Coordinates of all heavy atoms in Angstrom, one line a residue:
V232 N 179.3 101.7 69.3 CA 180.3 102.7 69.6 C 181.6 102.0 70.0 O 181.6 101.2 70.9 CB 179.9 103.7 70.7 CG1 180.9 104.6 71.0 CG2 178.5 104.2 70.4
S233 N 182.6 102.3 69.3 CA 184.0 101.7 69.5 C 184.9 102.7 70.2 O 185.0 103.8 69.7 CB 184.6 101.3 68.1 OG 185.8 100.8 68.4
V234 N 185.4 102.5 71.4 CA 186.1 103.4 72.2 C 187.5 102.8 72.5 O 187.7 101.7 72.8 CB 185.4 103.7 73.6 CG1 186.2 104.6 74.4 CG2 184.0 104.2 73.4
T235 N 188.5 103.7 72.3 CA 189.9 103.4 72.7 C 190.3 104.2 73.9 O 190.2 105.4 73.8 CB 190.9 103.6 71.6 OG1 190.4 102.9 70.4 CG2 192.3 103.0 71.9
L236 N 190.6 103.5 75.0 CA 191.0 104.2 76.2 C 192.6 104.2 76.3 O 193.3 103.5 75.7 CB 190.4 103.4 77.4 CG 188.9 103.3 77.4 CD1 188.4 102.4 78.6 CD2 188.2 104.6 77.3
A237 N 193.0 105.1 77.1 CA 194.5 105.1 77.4 C 195.0 103.9 78.1 O 196.1 103.3 77.8 CB 194.8 106.4 78.3
E238 N 194.1 103.3 79.0 CA 194.5 102.0 79.7 C 193.2 101.1 79.8 O 192.1 101.6 79.8 CB 194.9 102.4 81.1 CG 196.3 102.9 81.2 CD 196.6 103.4 82.6 OE1 195.9 102.9 83.6 OE2 197.4 104.2 82.7
P239 N 193.4 99.8 79.8 CA 192.3 98.9 80.0 C 191.5 99.2 81.2 O 192.0 99.8 82.3 CB 192.9 97.5 80.2 CG 194.2 97.6 79.5 CD 194.7 99.0 79.8
L240 N 190.2 99.1 81.2 CA 189.3 99.5 82.3 C 189.2 98.3 83.2 O 188.9 97.1 82.8 CB 187.9 99.7 81.6 CG 187.0 100.6 82.5 CD1 187.7 102.0 82.8 CD2 185.7 101.0 81.6
N241 N 189.3 98.5 84.5 CA 189.2 97.4 85.6 C 187.8 97.8 86.2 O 187.3 98.8 86.3 CB 190.2 97.5 86.6 CG 191.6 97.2 86.0 OD1 191.6 96.3 85.1 ND2 192.6 97.9 86.3
N242 N 187.2 96.7 86.7 CA 186.0 96.8 87.6 C 184.8 97.6 86.9 O 184.5 98.7 87.3 CB 186.3 97.5 88.9 CG 187.5 96.8 89.7 OD1 187.5 95.5 89.6 ND2 188.2 97.5 90.3
I243 N 184.4 97.1 85.7 CA 183.4 97.7 84.9 C 182.0 97.5 85.7 O 181.7 96.4 86.0 CB 183.3 97.1 83.5 CG1 184.7 97.3 82.9 CG2 182.2 97.8 82.8 CD1 184.8 96.6 81.6
P244 N 181.3 98.5 86.0 CA 180.0 98.3 86.7 C 179.0 97.6 85.8 O 179.0 97.6 84.6 CB 179.5 99.8 87.0 CG 180.4 100.6 86.2 CD 181.6 99.9 85.8
D245 N 178.1 96.9 86.5 CA 177.2 96.1 85.8 C 176.3 96.7 84.8 O 176.1 96.2 83.6 CB 176.2 95.3 86.8 CG 176.8 94.2 87.5 OD1 178.0 93.8 87.1 OD2 176.3 93.7 88.5
D246 N 175.8 97.9 85.1 CA 175.0 98.6 84.1 C 175.7 98.9 82.8 O 175.1 99.0 81.7 CB 174.3 99.9 84.7 CG 175.3 100.8 85.3 OD1 176.5 100.4 85.6 OD2 175.0 102.0 85.3
L247 N 177.1 99.1 82.9 CA 177.9 99.3 81.7 C 178.2 98.1 81.0 O 178.2 98.0 79.8 CB 179.1 100.2 82.1 CG 179.9 100.8 81.1 CD1 179.0 101.8 80.4 CD2 181.1 101.5 81.6
L248 N 178.4 97.0 81.8 CA 178.7 95.7 81.3 C 177.6 95.2 80.3 O 178.1 94.6 79.2 CB 178.9 94.7 82.4 CG 179.8 93.6 82.3 CD1 181.3 94.1 81.9 CD2 179.9 92.9 83.7
T249 N 176.5 95.5 80.5 CA 175.4 95.0 79.6 C 175.4 95.6 78.3 O 174.9 95.1 77.4 CB 174.0 95.2 80.3 OG1 173.9 96.6 80.5 CG2 173.8 94.4 81.5
K250 N 176.1 96.7 78.2 CA 176.1 97.5 76.9 C 177.5 97.2 76.1 O 177.6 97.6 75.0 CB 176.1 98.9 77.2 CG 174.9 99.6 77.9 CD 175.0 101.0 78.1 CE 173.9 101.8 78.8 NZ 173.2 101.1 79.7
I251 N 178.2 96.3 76.7 CA 179.6 96.0 76.0 C 179.4 94.8 75.1 O 178.9 93.7 75.5 CB 180.6 95.8 77.1 CG1 180.9 97.1 77.7 CG2 181.8 95.2 76.4 CD1 182.0 97.0 78.9
K252 N 179.8 95.0 73.8 CA 179.8 93.9 72.9 C 181.1 93.1 73.0 O 181.2 91.9 72.9 CB 179.6 94.4 71.5 CG 179.6 93.4 70.4 CD 179.4 94.1 69.1 CE 179.6 93.2 67.9 NZ 179.5 93.9 66.6
S253 N 182.2 93.8 73.1 CA 183.6 93.1 73.1 C 184.5 94.1 73.8 O 184.6 95.2 73.8 CB 184.1 92.7 71.7 OG 184.4 93.9 71.0
V254 N 185.5 93.4 74.4 CA 186.7 94.1 75.0 C 188.0 93.5 74.6 O 188.1 92.3 74.6 CB 186.7 94.0 76.6 CG1 187.8 94.7 77.2 CG2 185.4 94.4 77.2
D255 N 188.9 94.3 74.0 CA 190.1 93.8 73.6 C 191.2 94.8 74.2 O 191.5 95.8 73.5 CB 190.2 93.8 72.0 CG 191.5 93.3 71.5 OD1 192.3 92.9 72.3 OD2 191.7 93.4 70.3
G256 N 191.7 94.5 75.4 CA 192.6 95.4 76.0 C 191.9 96.8 76.3 O 190.8 96.8 76.9
E257 N 192.5 97.8 75.7 CA 191.9 99.2 75.9 C 190.9 99.5 75.0 O 190.3 100.6 75.0 CB 193.1 100.2 76.0 CG 194.0 100.2 74.8 CD 195.1 99.1 74.9 OE1 195.3 98.5 76.1 OE2 195.7 98.9 73.8
K258 N 190.6 98.5 74.0 CA 189.5 98.8 73.0 C 188.2 98.2 73.5 O 188.2 97.0 73.7 CB 189.9 98.3 71.6 CG 190.9 99.1 70.8 CD 190.9 98.6 69.5 CE 191.4 99.7 68.5 NZ 191.5 99.4 67.2
I259 N 187.2 98.9 73.6 CA 185.9 98.5 73.9 C 184.8 98.8 72.9 O 184.8 100.0 72.5 CB 185.4 99.0 75.4 CG1 186.6 98.8 76.4 CG2 184.2 98.3 75.8 CD1 186.2 99.4 77.8
E260 N 184.0 97.8 72.6 CA 182.8 98.1 71.7 C 181.6 98.1 72.5 O 181.3 97.0 73.2 CB 182.9 97.0 70.6 CG 183.3 97.5 69.3 CD 182.9 96.5 68.2 OE1 183.4 95.4 68.2 OE2 182.1 96.9 67.3
F261 N 180.9 99.1 72.4 CA 179.5 99.3 73.1 C 178.4 99.2 72.1 O 178.6 99.5 71.0 CB 179.5 100.6 73.8 CG 180.4 100.7 75.0 CD1 181.7 101.4 74.7 CD2 180.1 100.4 76.2 CE1 182.6 101.5 75.8 CE2 181.1 100.4 77.2 CZ 182.3 101.1 77.1
I262 N 177.2 98.6 72.5 CA 176.1 98.7 71.7 C 175.1 99.6 72.5 O 174.7 99.1 73.6 CB 175.4 97.3 71.5 CG1 176.4 96.4 70.8 CG2 174.1 97.4 70.7 CD1 176.8 96.7 69.5
L263 N 174.8 100.7 72.0 CA 173.8 101.5 72.7 C 172.4 101.4 72.1 O 172.3 101.3 70.9 CB 174.3 103.0 72.6 CG 175.6 103.3 73.1 CD1 175.9 104.8 73.1 CD2 175.8 102.7 74.6
N264 N 171.4 101.4 73.0 CA 170.1 101.5 72.5 C 169.7 102.9 72.2 O 169.8 103.8 73.2 CB 169.3 100.9 73.6 CG 167.8 100.8 73.2 OD1 167.2 101.7 72.6 ND2 167.1 99.6 73.5
R265 N 169.3 103.3 71.0 CA 169.0 104.6 70.6 C 167.9 105.2 71.5 O 167.8 106.4 71.7 CB 168.6 104.7 69.2 CG 169.8 104.6 68.3 CD 169.4 104.9 66.8 NE 170.3 104.3 65.9 CZ 171.4 104.9 65.5 NH1 171.7 106.2 65.8 NH2 172.2 104.4 64.6
G266 N 167.0 104.4 72.0 CA 165.7 104.9 72.8 C 166.3 105.3 74.2 O 165.8 106.3 74.7
T267 N 167.2 104.6 74.8 CA 167.5 104.9 76.3 C 169.0 105.3 76.5 O 169.1 105.9 77.6 CB 167.2 103.5 77.1 OG1 167.9 102.5 76.5 CG2 165.7 103.1 77.2
D268 N 169.8 105.2 75.6 CA 171.2 105.5 75.8 C 171.6 106.7 74.9 O 171.0 106.9 73.9 CB 172.2 104.4 75.5 CG 171.8 103.1 76.3 OD1 171.5 103.2 77.4 OD2 171.9 102.0 75.7
N269 N 172.6 107.4 75.3 CA 173.2 108.3 74.4 C 174.7 108.3 74.6 O 175.2 108.0 75.6 CB 172.6 109.6 74.3 CG 172.8 110.4 75.5 OD1 174.0 110.7 75.8 ND2 171.8 110.7 76.2
I270 N 175.4 108.8 73.5 CA 176.8 108.7 73.5 C 177.4 109.6 74.7 O 178.4 109.3 75.3 CB 177.5 109.1 72.1 CG1 177.0 108.0 71.2 CG2 179.0 109.2 72.2 CD1 177.5 108.2 69.7
M271 N 176.9 110.8 74.9 CA 177.4 111.6 75.9 C 177.3 111.0 77.3 O 178.2 111.2 78.0 CB 176.6 113.0 75.8 CG 177.1 114.0 74.7 SD 178.9 113.8 74.3 CE 179.7 114.5 75.8
S272 N 176.2 110.3 77.6 CA 176.2 109.7 78.9 C 177.1 108.6 79.0 O 177.8 108.3 80.0 CB 174.7 109.3 79.2 OG 174.3 108.3 78.3

Side-chain angles (χ1 to χ4, degrees):
V232 181
S233 178
V234 178
T235 307
L236 304 175
E238 286 172 20
L240 203 56
N241 297 317
N242 304 323
I243 304 171
D245 282 351
D246 58 334
L247 198 57
L248 212 51
T249 59
K250 299 183 185 26
I251 292 178
K252 178 180 171 186
S253 68
V254 181
D255 178 11
E257 52 283 344
K258 276 193 164 182
I259 307 180
E260 255 194 295
F261 295 91
I262 303 297
L263 300 187
N264 185 318
R265 285 185 199 270
T267 53
D268 305 319
N269 69 61
I270 293 179
M271 280 327 290
S272 62

